[in-house]
């Protein structure tokens, strides 16, 4: 979902990282599904990408499994 939303918005992974205040490697791992973002990182990513309600709920479900 993150990679789809990022590419739809026209941002590079590096631009998303910078705007969200996260490392390039962290964003890469989130996009690859290697890690789930913590709630703070999730909020930063969602804000930068302007996720719609459905995308937001989908991501909440994904990270909610961990918490």
């Amino acid at each position: 979902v993150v990679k789809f939303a990022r590419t739809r918005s026209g941002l590079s992974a590096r631009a998303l990282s910078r705007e969200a205040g996260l490392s390039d490697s962290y964003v890469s791992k989130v996009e690859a599904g290697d890690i789930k973002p913590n709630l703070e990182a999730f909020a930063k990513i969602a804000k930068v990408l302007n996720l719609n309600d459905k995308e937001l709920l989908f991501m909440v479900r994904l990270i909610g499994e961990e918490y």
Side-chain angles (χ1 to χ4, degrees):
V1 171
V2 173
K3 187 172 184 177
F4 173 78
R6 176 182 59 76
T7 56
R8 182 188 66 196
S9 71
L11 287 175
S12 66
R14 179 167 285 194
L16 172 59
S17 300
R18 288 181 183 161
E19 290 187 39
L22 303 168
S23 72
D24 293 346
S25 63
Y26 186 84
V27 169
S28 177
K29 289 176 184 177
V30 169
E31 286 190 349
D34 295 338
I35 61 172
K36 294 180 182 180
N38 61 40
L39 293 176
E40 181 181 354
F42 168 73
K44 290 177 179 181
I45 291 168
K47 182 177 180 180
V48 171
L49 296 178
N50 297 313
L51 296 180
N52 68 38
D53 293 343
K54 288 182 182 180
E55 293 165 328
L56 211 55
L57 288 173
F58 183 73
M59 283 192 66
V60 167
R61 286 188 195 128
L62 286 178
I63 67 164
E65 295 172 3
E66 187 175 306
Y67 298 102

